[in-house]
Amino acid sequence: MNAPPIGLGMDAGGTRTRWALADASRQLLGSGEAPGMTALQMNTDAGRDHIRAVLRAIMDALPKGVLPGQVCAGITGHTEGGASLAALIASQCGLDPAAVSLRSDIEIA
């Protein structure tokens, strides 16, 4: 029987991206901050590169040997239909895009 997935939550805005990693029993496994990012950065190559760099920084900061099985992110500027942003997040986290749930930062606030 497989263990329930570990979840990575992100609250991303222009100033900073806060993240937390928790297991299915809601035990906090790690948390931190990374540079800011917004969904609007998906509109340019440089912006997408910045998002990749932020996600790499988060993945590098996770506890050694602990990886998320799912991601839930509230991101400034996100609107419905963020499939390309979900795919980018999934690729940087080693997940299937279906394991990524996106919301606007307003919705999670």
Side-chain angles (χ1 to χ4, degrees), residues 13-57:
T15 305
R16 67 181 171 205
T17 300
R18 291 175 291 206
W19 62 268
L21 189 71
D23 65 16
S25 65
R26 298 183 182 172
Q27 178 181 347
L28 187 62
L29 304 174
S31 64
E33 291 186 0
M37 65 178 181
T38 73
L40 301 175
Q41 291 172 303
M42 288 296 292
N43 295 328
T44 67
D45 289 339
R48 288 186 296 277
D49 288 344
H50 176 79
I51 292 171
R52 284 185 197 94
V54 171
L55 294 168
R56 275 193 305 273

Side-chain angles (χ1 to χ4, degrees), residues 42-99:
M42 288 296 292
N43 295 328
T44 67
D45 289 339
R48 288 186 296 277
D49 288 344
H50 176 79
I51 292 171
R52 284 185 197 94
V54 171
L55 294 168
R56 275 193 305 273
I58 292 170
M59 294 301 290
D60 288 347
L62 297 180
K64 189 120 181 124
V66 181
L67 297 173
Q70 57 191 19
V71 173
C72 180
I75 301 179
T76 297
H78 171 71
T79 57
E80 293 296 317
S84 58
L85 179 55
L88 178 61
I89 292 171
S91 71
Q92 295 301 300
C93 296
L95 298 170
D96 184 278

